[in-house]
Amino acid sequence: MTVAYIGLGANLGDARQAIKDAIVCLAQQIGVTIIGKSDLYRTAPIESSGDDYLNCAVAVETSLSARQLLTLCLKIELHFGRERPYKNAPRTLDLDLLVYGDERIAEPDLIVPHPRLALRAFVLHPLADIAPELDIPGVGRVSALLPHVADQRIERVAQGCCPTKRVCTS
């Protein structure tokens, strides 16, 4: 089993509910167990326009490979209506594989750790909620990276919670 971290975000529709439902959907998958979940944060879009984003992160224990976990994340995004009309477009749901154990992967469509992870408050603050001492391979410790994003607007809006209803038929 590998511990992986997934970032979730949305800024279209009922973003809060989409994130909650996506977490439940992840938890219902064979080979994935949610072992930690951050609070929910509101952040301004970066390199984009539109409404503020809601973001959180989850830690999962998984028997899936990094490629299989990414494929699952993309499938869940599609289930929730994710479209990609242009780079950094607003979205109904975004799931990013942030960290996968201590692996460093550099493939055209799979880069782990996530390449912009250390530059984004909306990733680091949720990670700090669940794993402040996490040493991100080739990047550094989450707690040590936080001061570098101190100038980015981020607001904690809610302690995380998950509904228990079945929401994913994937």
Side-chain angles (χ1 to χ4, degrees), residues 3 5 99 101 117 127 131-137 140-143 145:
V3 175
Y5 297 86
V99 177
L117 177 151
L127 278 178
E133 299 308 310
L134 173 66
D135 191 15
I136 301 166
R141 191 168 301 243
V142 170
S143 59
L145 296 169

Side-chain angles (χ1 to χ4, degrees), residues 10-26:
N11 74 334
L12 291 177
D14 188 345
R16 182 185 300 238
Q17 192 63 49
I19 289 170
K20 287 179 180 181
D21 290 349
I23 292 168
V24 171
C25 191
L26 271 170

